[in-house]
Amino acid sequence: FDESLPHRLNDKPTSLNEMVLAFDSAVLAGYNILHFSSCSSGTVSNWVGVKAACEHDDTLNCPGVPWAHTPYVGEEGGTCAQSGTTFGAFGADASRTAWRIAMDYILYREESANVTIFDREGHIDTDTDFGAQRYLNRIVVQYATSAICDGGTPGFCMNSTTSPYQLAYAYDTKFNASNVTCPGVPNPPESWWAGFMAYPTFTAFVAPYDEIGAAQMSNWMDTFSSICDFSSVNLQNLAWGGQPRGKICLTSYFEASQAVISTMVMAGTLRPLSFKSSSFTVVVLKDEEHELGIQGRGISARSFEHEALSVLVGLVAVGALVAVVKRSHTSSYGEDGSLRSLVYDDHSENDV
């Protein structure tokens, strides 16, 4: 492992501890930048600025507060943008923030909660409590207070229409959605009706919120999962059947990919990572040995890690597809109120 670590400019190797510190600092900076480039509704800027220039160009690091003027670039108020999306607006690039933070919450429950937030002068802000769950709860509150139907009550939304327009009130500016712009997100957002905008926000409900019970949080995800009708879709080959029916049920690459990822996150296919053990046991059926390419090999859990992860990734992908095409789900929360599992079913509670 030590041989894989990068070397310093003087050719001395770095240590694992130094690499961990570097990653931790990147996470710390990321959450602080998110704090200064988001609104109370959970909207986030596509592109934001950070600037803490050193006095000399050949200096690799120096004291400074990168987010001192975020979302703008420096005290001069500069802006930046790429990929056709607008600076300082909640759009296609920023929409993915929700499921990324949801994944951080699920995988690193404790670490994503223990985030130190600094003010614009670089001092610890003891009055601000911000992390993955806090950010996700902003989106939950936005839907709970701004949608004109209660997704936490079964059958309340879309009971007389197939359109999710009642939910769109949370983020659609045509319906005068509140708090979607703010000093951290100064420009108007893209439409909620784009599948790549709406679906990622649904993942916020994987994190518990004190003011809404676990059953209601589950019901909200039931509501979101019923937006699309897949009854005419051929699950073996999309070209052989009809298209999904629904206002935000699109099959183009970007829209569909955001829906698949978001539904995978809500479906409970992710589990918190544990680092208590340096090795793990993988159970492989005898008839799978040839398929996995390990037949006749004496292989330890440690050396099998990469093969096992490949198999797990494949299983997650299959689970995501199953989750997308199911119409409804039930969920259960652990004793601590956190999402434990989601079970999607068509007809039978045993159809997992």
Side-chain angles (χ1 to χ4, degrees):
F1 177 83
D2 290 341
E3 294 178 357
S4 67
L5 294 173
H7 284 216
R8 299 174 181 271
L9 293 179
N10 62 7
D11 205 38
K12 291 184 178 180
T14 55
S15 67
L16 174 60
N17 184 59
E18 289 172 326
M19 293 295 291
V20 171
L21 289 174
F23 281 118
D24 284 345
S25 68
V27 173
L28 177 69
Y31 273 103
N32 274 270
I33 294 168
L34 177 62
H35 173 61
F36 288 108
S37 60
S38 59
C39 297
S40 60
S41 64
T43 57
V44 184
S45 290
N46 282 318
W47 299 93
V48 300
V50 293
K51 185 176 182 180
C54 296
E55 184 177 354
H56 303 290
D57 291 341
D58 59 351
T59 303
L60 293 179
N61 60 79
C62 58
V65 185
W67 49 85
H69 301 282
T70 300
Y72 298 98
V73 184
E75 59 184 346
E76 62 272 26
T79 62
C80 57
Q82 287 292 333
S83 68
T85 54
T86 305
F87 163 84
F90 184 47
D93 285 307
S95 66
R96 290 166 280 187
T97 301
W99 63 253
R100 287 171 173 168
I101 298 300
M103 288 183 65
D104 195 28
Y105 169 76
I106 295 170
L107 297 175
Y108 304 98
R109 189 70 49 83
E110 295 181 7
E111 294 87 344
S112 66
N114 301 320
V115 180
T116 302
I117 298 299
F118 295 82
D119 61 23
R120 293 188 182 276
E121 285 71 46
H123 305 296
I124 294 178
D125 185 353
T126 57
D127 295 328
T128 299
D129 183 7
F130 188 72
Q133 183 175 351
R134 291 293 184 184
Y135 168 75
L136 296 171
N137 285 169
R138 291 179 175 184
I139 299 174
V140 171
V141 171
Q142 185 73 3
Y143 276 110
T145 59
S146 298
I148 61 170
C149 68
D150 180 10
T153 300
F156 193 98
C157 299
M158 299 178 291
N159 57 359
S160 61
T161 177
T162 58
S163 172
Y165 78 93
Q166 295 165 309
L167 299 170
Y169 273 76
Y171 287 97
D172 193 339
T173 56
K174 292 182 180 179
F175 297 139
N176 298 315
S178 61
N179 303 317
V180 293
T181 60
C182 62
V185 190
N187 293 317
E190 288 190 51
S191 174
W192 179 90
W193 292 94
F196 60 79
M197 294 297 297
Y199 264 96
T201 63
F202 302 160
T203 64
F205 287 79
V206 302
Y209 176 58
D210 293 340
E211 303 300 321
I212 300 178
Q216 286 70 38
M217 295 288 277
S218 174
N219 290 338
W220 270 100
M221 287 186 280
D222 278 331
T223 298
F224 296 138
S225 70
S226 67
I227 290 175
C228 297
D229 179 359
F230 292 92
S231 60
S232 64
V233 176
N234 187 299
L235 303 184
Q236 303 300 319
N237 189 322
L238 183 63
W240 294 348
Q243 295 291 306
R245 291 193 293 267
K247 296 294 185 181
I248 60 172
C249 310
L250 307 174
T251 57
S252 53
Y253 166 74
F254 191 60
E255 287 81 359
S257 66
Q258 297 308 300
V260 169
I261 294 171
S262 300
T263 311
M264 179 189 74
V265 172
M266 289 192 291
T269 54
L270 295 175
R271 293 291 184 270
L273 296 179
S274 174
F275 300 97
K276 295 180 180 179
S277 175
S278 60
S279 61
F280 58 89
T281 301
V282 177
V283 177
V284 180
L285 300 179
K286 188 174 182 63
D287 59 359
E288 293 176 335
E289 290 182 354
H290 180 73
E291 183 176 348
L292 294 175
I294 60 173
Q295 191 172 19
R297 291 164 54 190
I299 188 164
S300 66
R302 186 186 299 270
S303 63
F304 187 59
E305 179 176 0
H306 292 296
E307 289 92 336
L309 287 177
S310 297
V311 175
L312 290 175
V313 168
L315 292 174
V316 167
V318 172
L321 292 174
V322 172
V324 167
V325 301
K326 297 301 183 181
R327 288 294 309 276
S328 63
H329 72 263
T330 58
S331 68
S332 59
Y333 283 72
E335 294 180 358
D336 62 350
S338 60
L339 183 68
R340 183 171 67 229
S341 65
L342 286 166
V343 179
Y344 284 71
D345 65 272
D346 277 326
H347 306 291
S348 169
E349 61 185 0
N350 298 319
D351 181 19
V352 180

